Amino acid sequence: MKRVFSGVQPTGNIHLGNYLGALRQFVELQEDNECIYCIVDEHAITVPQDPKELKQHILDVAALYLAIGINPEKAIVFVQSQVSGHAELGWILNCCANTGELFRMTQFKAKSQGKESVGAGLLTYPVLMAADILLYDSDIVPVGNDQKQHIELTRDLAIRVNHKYGKDTFVVPEGRFMKAGARIMALDDPTSKMSKSAENIHSRISLLDDEKKIKKSIMKATTDSEGTIRFDIENKPGVSNLLTIYSVLSGISVEDLEKQYEGKGYGDFKKDLVEVTIGALAPIKEKYNEIRNSQYLIDTLNDGAERADEIAQNTMKRVRDHFGLGL
């Protein structure tokens, strides 16, 4: 059985892009793999956070993990900062990484925006991400395509350490990238990825949005002046994005949707998509509301932290031995 690791930052409500692009794969993977899913709260503090809000966001994401179908009897679900091995291994790997490869990271360039001085965490967080993965001898890491460079860094660090300190120090992981057709774009700008940091709240649909917000966001979504409902990413990115969302949420193929809406306008299409989206998200919201403030959620995270820490401590003992650390 392969071991799978992945994590989500607790920086706000999970949106459809996160869910359809990655989190649904988390649920699929738990059936045939040993899965470890983490709320990576230490990554969140690379930028300033309100401590009280951060604590709430951690629990929000944990509750959504369970609400979408992650089963704590099949997968380990825990909070990163509850397992000290993440920070310890992160420091060790920082000593093995080169500043040049970190400065080349595309996301660092984007987030630093050319500033002369930014928080050091923005530069080194890909190393902490590598530690997250390597700490659990992970075989598979399901991530979005925007994280491909970070997976390559993780593999490079693992191979580098194995070459210098012993070939069995780390398992070299493989990335499992987003399936074709599940890339969800912003509703207001279908040439950009859906993002929870976008200023326009109608650029995205979050899993916990109410029905009025879902309707408004979809009805305002960018289309084009052609008036025909067909999939053509290059010439009709807005309509193509809505077709993708409709198809993934309903299980109806894009080809069948094109036939279904032949001769119909965008208004009818969007109204139906509103109903499909509301219907698909309703059971998630219902489950979320059941467990968000429950002792069950806290117990699940504490149990997950204990199980994760047991694996992590075994890895750290091996790493310390190979590096000559401790007595």
Side-chain angles (χ1 to χ4, degrees), residues 8-14 39 41 44 49-65 79 208 288 291-294 297-298 301:
V8 172
Q9 284 200 42
T11 52
N13 198 347
I14 292 172
I39 296 95
D41 54 338
Q49 299 284 342
D50 179 284
K52 291 181 180 178
E53 287 185 4
L54 180 57
K55 284 184 181 294
Q56 295 307 309
H57 288 327
I58 290 168
L59 294 173
D60 290 345
V61 172
L64 279 169
Y65 265 168
V79 180
L208 300 178
Y288 173 88
I291 63 178
R292 170 59 180 83
N293 296 307
S294 67
L297 179 61
I298 302 300
L301 293 174

Side-chain angles (χ1 to χ4, degrees), residues 56-87:
Q56 295 307 309
H57 288 327
I58 290 168
L59 294 173
D60 290 345
V61 172
L64 279 169
Y65 265 168
L66 303 186
I68 65 170
I70 292 174
N71 184 347
E73 294 183 6
K74 296 180 179 179
I76 296 174
V77 180
F78 74 105
V79 180
Q80 178 190 31
S81 61
Q82 287 189 280
V83 177
S84 62
H86 290 265

